[in-house]
Amino acid sequence: MAIFRTPTLCLKNGEVLSDVEIAYECYGELNPTKSNAILVTHGTTSSHIAAGTVTMDRRRGWWNEVIGPGLLFDTSRYCIVSSNALGSCYGSTGPASINPVAGKPYGTCFPEICLEDIVRAQQLLLQSLGIQKLVAVAGPSVGGFQVFQWAVTFPENMAGIIALDTAPKDILETGSSLNNLLSDLSADPSWNNGDYYASGSMENKLTEIRINTLKSFGFEEKLDDSLDEIAREKVLTDTAREWAREFDANCLITQMRAMASFDVEGELDKIQAKVLYILCDTDEWFPSSIGKEVTLKLTNAGVDVKFLEVHSRHGHYATTEEPEKWVPEAEKFLQKLNT
């Protein structure tokens, strides 16, 4: 893991974060002109570790099957940059980070951020690496929010975008979900008004929340059919608890607030990059039924867009579980970007 540091980051709301750190990984090498970079962006609860060690729910190595020599994101040809989002808790500055003024974790004092703040932090990281223009920005789910935000905030900075399991605005009713989350967390004895870092742990509550999330993502479809109900429940619970031991409740709140405010549908005419848009027919979060409408809006905005519907039983996990169903189209897309 590498760390990019900047002394200040001006947020869209006017606040300024000090001593900001952004964790990232690079797979492959930059060419002499630094023109072969692809940025990949992760979902709400994932990290910057896009390839390498893989756990059962793909929190590490979430795109392990498409990043590497000879794969879609060919590391013998491209330099793949994967950045941990601002406000997360896997090495980037967020609520669990030490507030340099107070000398303790920010907690609920961490400022409210938006998707634009997240991508502007990534842009500073790329500038520090000498990267002026990307071949593409690619990511699934809320990583796809970042992809669309990149396309409207820095329209000249990439040739193409690949947005999977996502939309150009929040369609998840995240505001309502956030209210429910806050109510759920505040009922936990360890919550302490969000200042739980010294006195307790939110592990049990986060495990409960994660179990429900994994079920809605289609996690159980990934389990071996030979497992009985007790064994399947144990794998689900153990996977959820593993995540809960690493993640931070305030970071989850921060990320969800950023999601709830995301909407670039009114800015689609800013997009200059070619777009590959991919949805799965069993995804409960971003159903493929929205594909035609989003594609029409992009087309009407003058965007060169290709829509692909993936058929899979894996729901929101389809594009990570069965990359062979979309990678051939993405390979053609990248080839066009390089011609």
Side-chain angles (χ1 to χ4, degrees), residues 55-331:
T55 61
M56 285 180 290
D57 68 345
R58 305 300 177 106
R59 287 185 295 107
R60 302 190 188 94
W62 44 272
W63 260 358
N64 201 58
E65 287 78 7
V66 298
I67 297 175
L71 300 178
L72 170 64
F73 300 123
D74 187 349
T75 50
S76 64
R77 181 177 185 180
Y78 301 112
C79 176
I80 312 302
V81 182
S82 180
S83 162
N84 184 224
L86 178 72
S88 184
C89 56
Y90 288 111
S92 293
T93 298
S97 304
I98 299 299
N99 182 337
V101 176
K104 63 178 184 178
Y106 281 97
T108 57
C109 294
F110 191 76
E112 187 169 334
I113 62 172
C114 63
L115 265 294
E116 187 173 331
D117 296 322
I118 291 172
V119 304
R120 288 192 179 279
Q122 292 167 346
Q123 168 68 350
L124 291 175
L125 158 64
L126 294 176
Q127 286 180 338
S128 76
L129 298 175
I131 300 168
Q132 299 301 318
K133 184 170 183 176
L134 295 156
V135 175
V137 185
S141 191
V142 176
F145 284 7
Q146 296 173 51
V147 170
F148 276 117
Q149 187 70 62
W150 258 96
V152 302
T153 303
F154 301 107
E156 298 179 355
N157 285 40
M158 78 292 294
I161 65 171
I162 304 176
L164 307 94
D165 322 312
T166 192
K169 69 175 182 179
D170 177 49
I171 63 169
L172 305 175
E173 298 184 352
T174 303
S176 297
S177 298
L178 179 57
N179 290 334
N180 293 335
L181 173 65
L182 290 169
S183 178
D184 206 12
L185 291 173
S186 62
D188 190 281
S190 301
W191 177 240
N192 193 31
N193 294 318
D195 187 17
Y196 49 81
Y197 296 99
S199 59
S201 168
M202 297 300 296
E203 180 183 322
N204 289 336
K205 178 57 67 176
L206 288 176
T207 299
E208 176 186 317
I209 291 169
R210 186 63 172 174
I211 287 173
N212 292 330
T213 300
L214 290 177
K215 286 181 176 180
S216 70
F217 279 178
F219 177 82
E220 292 169 301
E221 292 295 332
K222 299 198 295 181
L223 301 180
D224 193 320
D225 291 338
S226 66
L227 295 176
D228 61 26
E229 185 176 347
I230 294 175
R232 294 171 71 85
E233 190 66 26
K234 184 178 187 304
V235 173
L236 176 62
T237 302
D238 288 349
T239 302
R241 188 167 295 279
E242 180 187 3
W243 172 83
R245 286 172 178 158
E246 295 181 356
F247 215 75
D248 176 70
N250 282 317
C251 287
L252 184 57
I253 292 168
T254 293
Q255 294 287 300
M256 289 183 67
R257 281 181 175 147
M259 290 166 55
S261 66
F262 173 69
D263 184 353
V264 296
E265 276 201 343
E267 302 176 81
L268 297 181
D269 59 348
K270 294 181 180 178
I271 297 177
Q272 298 179 25
K274 291 181 172 62
V275 176
L276 177 59
Y277 184 43
I278 303 170
L279 298 173
C280 171
D281 60 349
T282 56
D283 189 346
E284 296 181 9
W285 294 76
F286 297 97
S288 60
S289 58
I290 70 171
K292 289 183 179 179
E293 180 184 356
V294 172
T295 301
L296 181 60
K297 288 179 179 179
L298 286 163
T299 300
N300 288 342
V303 179
D304 183 343
V305 56
K306 166 75 175 180
F307 172 60
L308 174 66
E309 180 181 22
V310 171
H311 302 285
S312 171
R313 66 187 180 91
H314 288 289
H316 200 57
Y317 280 114
T319 54
T320 52
E321 285 301 300
E322 298 181 307
E324 68 275 7
K325 293 187 174 180
W326 62 274
V327 161
E329 196 65 47
E331 288 175 337

Side-chain angles (χ1 to χ4, degrees), residues 26 28-38 78-79 81 129-131:
C26 286
E29 301 292 332
L30 284 170
N31 61 17
T33 59
K34 300 185 178 181
S35 60
N36 66 330
I38 293 174
Y78 301 112
C79 176
V81 182
L129 298 175
I131 300 168

